[in-house]
Amino acid sequence: MKVTLALALVCLCQLLDASPIEERSIAEKYAAHKTKHGLKFEADEDERRQAEFKATDDFINAHNSDPSKKSKLVHNKYSTMHAHEFAQINGYRPSHGKAAPVSRDIEERANPTSLDWRNHNGVDYVSPIQNQGSCGSCWTFSATATLESRHAIKNKLTKPIKLSEQNLVDCAHYGSTTANTCATGGNYGTAWAWVASTKGNPVAGITGTNYAALPKPVPGQNLESEYPYTSGSYKSGDARNSCGFSTSKGTSVTTSTYSNSYCGAWYYKWTWTSSAGWKKGAKVCTSTVTTKYASHKITANSPSAMITALQSGPVSISINASERSFQNYGSGILAEADCAGASLDHAVNLVGYGADSSGNKYWIGRNSWGTWWGDKGYFKFERKDTDSIGTCGCLKDAEYPEL
């Protein structure tokens, strides 16, 4: 009886000690994390941040301890960030009313088994990784990177010409909107339409008359060296910058346009016969609508269409970046099952595809959160041969500019 009682007391003491030991461990990790990233919070907020850190830590540990996972997660600057804060930097928004038509360039062809535009025949056609900061300007970085790369590829340059993301943040306002795009977000299709637009020459959702967009005398996007990025420290409520586009800041890189027509108004021709009565006939178009576009959509959820589109250069895609599996991605191939793609909120790039030594296929992605994130700013998503939305929804909404 005494032995049994003694064992029970030992077990009880161990149970009582387990929670404080775990809390101290998390507290120590959290303290080290704050020191590493220079984070400081008020006392009440510090408790909430530590709870967020613990939830992230638990998620990372569960993921990394699963031998079936082909990716590894790590702590980073986002490990203590609340969901509403993270939503601020996820600035992708769907096309506004005049989305580009789907490209017809999807025919079957003998494409290479791997492709990486960071090293294509010895040339790096992809600009260095950048950091968008706290502004929801991911769409400007995605649009700019794709345009830079495709321009360099088409013109056989040895490296891309660096263009200004701030130019798009300040100026690529669709329709009649004038809000700060750090807060409202945007779309890469809208960005390329603005690049191609001029005063009185509307392209897709860009009217060519909105004063906030500074209707341009010539098409083009200014150089980064002449129009540097200044929105990295954006705070909610900050006023928008005036559009500073100028022909003196470089306009040699631009998108082109093409026209797409459809029937805007029509009627059906009816005929009467005594035996059959009224019979509905052919559709007669009475008004044709023609719209200019500066980009092409890639067939949604089609890996073969994406591979075909990548043969001519990187593409812009949108993903669901609200999943912890993406926010804390560190290396390896992130599986489709580990990152849902129902809601798209972040714009990035695909710059190639390939497979590892075990035959696991992947897409190569480029982010705009700095080289401290992921694999020096890059990531790999699982690539399947069958149609699907892709990891984090990466195949749902992809485009590339007309050049």
Side-chain angles (χ1 to χ4, degrees):
M1 178 66 71
K2 290 181 179 179
V3 173
T4 303
L5 180 60
L7 288 173
L9 288 171
V10 170
C11 291
L12 179 60
C13 289
Q14 289 176 340
L15 287 172
L16 291 173
D17 285 345
S19 181
I21 289 172
E22 181 184 3
E23 287 179 6
R24 284 197 297 271
S25 176
I26 285 295
E28 290 168 358
K29 285 185 178 181
Y30 176 59
H33 180 81
K34 288 193 295 181
T35 299
K36 179 180 179 179
H37 297 290
L39 302 175
K40 294 181 180 180
F41 307 107
E42 296 295 331
D44 57 342
E45 178 62 18
D46 196 63
E47 290 183 14
R48 291 190 287 269
R49 297 288 180 172
Q50 181 168 330
E52 196 73 51
F53 179 84
K54 184 180 185 304
T56 302
D57 192 65
D58 290 343
F59 185 88
I60 290 174
N61 290 335
H63 181 98
N64 290 347
S65 63
D66 186 341
S68 69
K69 305 297 185 186
K70 297 180 178 65
S71 61
K72 291 296 181 183
L73 306 185
V74 296
H75 279 294
N76 58 36
K77 293 179 182 179
Y78 299 140
S79 293
T80 61
M81 188 175 283
H82 299 317
H84 72 274
E85 293 175 309
F86 202 82
Q88 177 178 295
I89 66 172
N90 291 341
Y92 166 82
R93 301 294 181 267
S95 299
H96 298 280
K98 293 185 177 181
V102 174
S103 169
R104 294 183 176 86
D105 186 26
I106 58 172
E107 71 272 11
E108 293 296 324
R109 60 176 68 176
N111 292 316
T113 56
S114 65
L115 174 68
D116 189 344
W117 285 107
R118 296 173 298 176
N119 184 5
H120 188 72
N121 296 326
V123 179
D124 183 356
Y125 287 107
V126 182
S127 294
I129 295 291
Q130 295 170 273
N131 190 344
Q132 69 186 74
S134 58
C135 175
S137 55
C138 56
W139 55 283
T140 71
F141 285 86
S142 175
T144 299
T146 297
L147 176 55
E148 290 168 347
S149 293
R150 285 181 168 260
H151 176 269
I153 293 165
K154 180 179 179 180
N155 292 282
K156 297 181 173 59
L157 306 181
T158 56
K159 66 177 183 179
I161 295 173
K162 190 69 203 77
L163 303 176
S164 170
E165 288 83 9
Q166 190 65 47
N167 190 182
L168 299 180
V169 172
D170 295 343
C171 304
H173 296 265
Y174 67 92
S176 59
T177 60
T178 60
N180 191 325
T181 59
C182 277
T184 62
N187 179 275
Y188 27 77
T190 300
W192 296 321
W194 181 83
V195 172
S197 71
T198 56
K199 185 176 182 179
N201 177 38
V203 181
I206 300 296
T207 63
T209 59
N210 183 355
Y211 76 89
L214 187 69
K216 316 197 305 288
V218 297
Q221 182 175 347
N222 286 159
L223 301 174
E224 182 192 47
S225 59
E226 300 294 329
Y227 201 149
Y229 188 65
T230 59
S231 292
S233 58
Y234 167 80
K235 293 181 177 60
S236 180
D238 283 355
R240 71 173 180 86
N241 296 323
S242 298
C243 179
F245 175 86
S246 172
T247 55
S248 66
K249 297 177 182 178
T251 58
S252 62
V253 180
T254 185
T255 53
S256 299
T257 61
Y258 63 96
S259 296
N260 187 63
S261 300
Y262 63 93
C263 186
W266 65 89
Y267 68 88
Y268 288 99
K269 187 175 182 179
W270 293 79
T271 56
W272 166 267
T273 63
S274 56
S275 58
W278 287 104
K279 183 178 180 181
K280 187 177 182 180
K283 181 178 178 180
V284 179
C285 183
T286 59
S287 176
T288 300
V289 177
T290 300
T291 301
K292 289 182 179 179
Y293 296 96
S295 60
H296 300 270
K297 278 192 174 293
I298 299 168
T299 302
N301 308 330
S302 172
S304 60
M306 179 63 77
I307 286 176
T308 296
L310 281 167
Q311 302 311 306
S312 54
V315 301
S316 289
I317 64 169
S318 55
I319 62 172
N320 173 20
S322 297
E323 299 274 355
R324 276 198 170 98
S325 57
F326 183 76
Q327 293 171 12
N328 292 95
Y329 170 86
S331 61
I333 303 173
L334 187 61
E336 185 172 329
D338 291 330
C339 187
S343 178
L344 307 179
D345 56 14
H346 184 51
V348 292
N349 305 91
L350 285 187
V351 300
Y353 58 90
D356 64 17
S357 58
S358 299
N360 299 303
K361 297 180 179 180
Y362 55 77
W363 302 107
I364 305 170
R366 177 187 186 276
N367 202 359
S368 55
W369 292 345
T371 54
W372 57 265
W373 180 89
D375 185 2
K376 298 179 181 178
Y378 287 89
F379 59 90
K380 290 178 181 176
F381 278 172
E382 177 184 17
R383 174 169 63 92
K384 296 181 178 180
D385 293 327
T386 54
D387 289 359
S388 70
I389 64 173
T391 304
C392 299
C394 66
L395 299 179
K396 289 178 70 175
D397 186 8
E399 292 185 45
Y400 59 89
E402 170 81 358
L403 293 180

